Amino acid sequence: MYQGLIDRYRKYLPVTSKTPVISLYEGNTPLLRAKNLERYLKLSNLKIYLKCEGFNPTGSFKDRGMTMAISKAAEARAEAVICASTGNTSASAAAYSARAGIKCIVLIPQGSIALGKLSQAMMHNARVIAIKGNFDEALTIVRKIGEKYPVTVVNSINPYRIEGQKTGSFEVVDFLGKAPDYHFIPVGNAGNITAYWKGYKEYCRGKLPRMMGFQASGASPIVLGRPVKHPKTIATAIKIGNPASWKQAQAARDESSGVIEAVTDSEILNAYKLLAALEGVFVEPASAASVAGLIKHSGKLKKQGDKTAVCVLTGHGLKDPDRAIKSIKQPVVVEPTLEKVVKEIKF
Ligand code: F0G
């Protein structure tokens, strides 16, 4: 039986027989072919695959990094871990810490995290501290606490997070038999693009993909070349103005002849709705930035020969039900009679 990504990819990860593996059997997520989207975009030469990371135990790709970070924290007998988060990291850190019996402290930007994520951190008994500020301010505080107090930081500045997350590329390569030509990915704090690129470089014998990273246009420091003091976007997961792995993301872009560009909130919402309506895949808004990026490039992609693209869908749609309900036509309400219902269905 599948027992999580440390078990599967042990020889590529910094673990030993002494490392206590803290796992919720994360990873092994579906790579779905998106034929309806290919047809809709008239991209007959492009095979689009969706790496559905919302299928991870806490509903996002963060579980890949967290199984590593918490296992290593347990190995080092850490008593507490801490992170700043736009929501998913805190949900994942809280769940894995609960399983490891380690205290978990999370700092979140007040009012800027999706309800599903907040409920997860609370249910797993994390100490949740909402700060009257944004993610970047929360991360600055967390870094200082990590330097001064006996607590392990489990943001992606913790190298074990990147190690775990690189297994996403291993799975893509194992499934396709090679790397895709293009790898589309949302960029927030820039840990995941760093991890996927590291994973491709370590695991792939043939040609490497072009890394296509996308930030939300109101939170696009790497695109602008300067930090954004007051980031704004409906994609709260990537509402980040000063990414920790900025340099590594640029390196991934440049070494792979890729891009890091911006997509607007309306492009993100369009991709978000298309994925749900055409492919049956419900993601959270930030995740749709990868597909919004692909749509933005579809004109250029059409002019190429046969190619393969992977879009990472980083988090599940149920994380942020409020946004879903705000984005779509509301259900009709009718009297509870057969006639009224039949009339409404318009048979
Ligand atoms: N997509 C989702 C759903 C995320 O939660 C995040 C980051 C990203 C994309 C961007 O990934 O930061 O590695 O570039 N969420 C972090 C958090 C910041 O706190 O949960 P990244």
Side-chain angles (χ1 to χ4, degrees):
M1 193 186 127
Y2 181 78
Q3 288 181 42
L5 58 85
I6 294 180
D7 183 58
R8 175 175 280 181
Y9 294 115
R10 175 172 281 275
K11 68 176 188 199
Y12 298 93
L13 297 169
V15 289
T16 67
S17 55
K18 294 201 185 73
T19 312
V21 176
I22 310 297
S23 175
L24 289 161
Y25 296 1
E26 58 295 310
N28 200 26
T29 56
L31 189 68
L32 296 177
R33 176 87 184 267
K35 286 195 177 178
N36 294 333
L37 191 63
E38 290 166 17
R39 265 193 295 274
Y40 176 85
L41 297 171
K42 300 193 174 61
L43 283 166
S44 55
N45 61 325
L46 188 71
K47 287 196 180 84
I48 303 175
Y49 290 92
L50 308 172
K51 184 66 174 153
C52 299
E53 290 291 279
F55 284 66
N56 275 301
T58 77
S60 87
F61 72 98
K62 303 287 181 180
D63 296 341
R64 290 184 187 277
M66 215 48 83
T67 184
M68 273 301 304
I70 300 295
S71 296
K72 294 303 281 189
E75 185 177 1
R77 303 196 186 283
E79 279 174 26
V81 298
I82 189 167
C83 65
S85 183
T86 56
N88 282 323
T89 300
S90 60
S92 187
Y96 283 80
S97 299
R99 208 160 162 82
I102 296 176
K103 189 174 160 197
C104 178
I105 306 150
V106 307
L107 262 67
I108 54 166
Q110 188 194 25
S112 275
I113 94 164
L115 199 63
K117 304 174 188 181
L118 180 60
S119 68
Q120 289 176 290
M122 289 164 62
M123 280 302 289
H124 295 304
N125 269 345
R127 181 79 207 279
V128 180
I129 303 169
I131 67 151
K132 295 176 181 168
N134 61 31
F135 169 84
D136 304 290
E137 291 166 305
L139 184 57
T140 303
I141 297 168
V142 161
R143 281 180 193 267
K144 287 187 184 145
I145 291 177
E147 282 161 19
K148 257 185 120 172
Y149 298 94
V151 53
T152 305
V153 176
V154 292
N155 280 101
S156 55
I157 50 175
N158 178 328
Y160 297 123
R161 282 276 314 279
I162 304 294
E163 290 298 312
Q165 282 171 218
K166 74 184 181 187
T167 60
S169 346
F170 295 0
E171 289 176 15
V172 169
V173 173
D174 283 341
F175 187 94
L176 296 176
K178 57 177 182 166
D181 297 297
Y182 294 95
H183 181 96
F184 289 86
I185 184 166
V187 176
N189 212 24
N192 212 26
I193 189 170
T194 303
Y196 266 94
W197 181 237
K198 185 171 198 282
Y200 281 124
K201 286 195 293 187
E202 284 180 13
Y203 200 71
C204 197
R205 286 200 189 86
K207 203 169 149 264
L208 296 171
R210 292 173 77 164
M211 300 301 290
M212 312 292 281
F214 293 88
Q215 301 196 293
S217 57
S220 56
I222 302 178
V223 182
L224 298 171
R226 58 173 165 79
V228 174
K229 205 149 188 228
H230 302 290
K232 276 202 193 77
T233 170
I234 52 98
T236 52
I238 53 172
K239 194 170 149 191
I240 293 175
N242 193 8
S245 300
W246 190 321
K247 286 205 177 76
Q248 295 90 320
Q250 281 178 322
R253 175 195 65 193
D254 298 342
E255 290 172 22
S256 73
S257 308
V259 303
I260 295 180
E261 292 178 359
V263 283
T264 64
D265 279 3
S266 80
E267 288 169 326
I268 289 173
L269 285 174
N270 178 45
Y272 171 67
K273 290 193 240 175
L274 281 177
L275 280 167
L278 293 178
E279 296 295 354
V281 180
F282 185 25
V283 300
E284 63 169 291
S287 305
S290 56
V291 172
L294 184 145
I295 295 174
K296 202 170 162 196
H297 279 258
S298 57
K300 278 186 240 164
L301 291 167
K302 233 174 255 183
K303 293 185 195 127
Q304 304 194 1
D306 288 346
K307 298 281 181 203
T308 307
V310 166
C311 296
V312 184
L313 303 179
T314 44
H316 202 285
L318 290 172
K319 293 268 189 180
D320 193 358
D322 297 324
R323 177 54 58 188
I325 290 174
K326 270 186 221 154
S327 308
I328 217 84
K329 209 174 120 210
Q330 299 304 298
V332 288
V333 180
V334 298
E335 293 304 318
T337 67
L338 180 65
E339 303 79 63
K340 287 276 159 67
V341 173
V342 167
K343 191 169 163 240
E344 197 50 49
I345 299 171
K346 301 186 180 82
F347 276 118

